[in-house]
Every structure is written in structure tokens, then in C-alpha cells.
Amino acid sequence: MVAKTVGNAVTRNTVRRRFKAIAHDLLTEVPTGHDVVIRALPAAAQAGWPSLLGDVSRSFARGVEKAA
């Protein structure tokens, strides 16, 4: 679910699909028994794919380090 503050329905669905694709590739790095929550901020609507991928990848790496 992406909050209405991100944009209209088309924009929110685009952001949701992008985050879903990114998370699908990165979930193998999450240790078993841990949950991941990604919150889309309004700036995500204007961010490009490489920017979103880099931001989420760095966040996943930090989370995995803390979980270990």
C-alpha cells in the first residue's frame, strides 16, 4: 500500500510496482524470521528506477548488517 500523499492512483501504482520488483530481487538477502517494511515517501514518485534501486539496496544492506 502506498499513501495518497505520494500522488494519484496511477502514480501510486507505479511506485508500488517498482518497490515490489526491487524487493523481489533483494528478499533473498533478508535473514529468515525478519520482516521488511518499505515506506514510500512523496519523493519516490519523481525518483527514477536507478535511484530507487540504490536507496532500497543500501537500506537492505544496513538492515541485514544490524540483524546479523
Side-chain angles (χ1 to χ4, degrees), residues 2-55:
V2 177
K4 288 185 178 181
T5 57
V6 174
N8 63 19
V10 174
T11 303
R12 290 193 312 269
N13 283 328
T14 300
V15 170
R16 181 188 59 80
R17 286 191 308 269
R18 286 180 178 177
F19 278 135
K20 187 175 179 179
I22 291 169
H24 182 273
D25 293 338
L26 296 176
L27 280 178
T28 58
E29 299 175 18
V30 177
T32 304
H34 288 80
D35 295 328
V36 176
V37 176
I38 299 174
R39 180 174 176 230
L41 298 175
Q46 286 79 33
W49 175 262
S51 176
L52 288 176
L53 180 60
D55 290 346

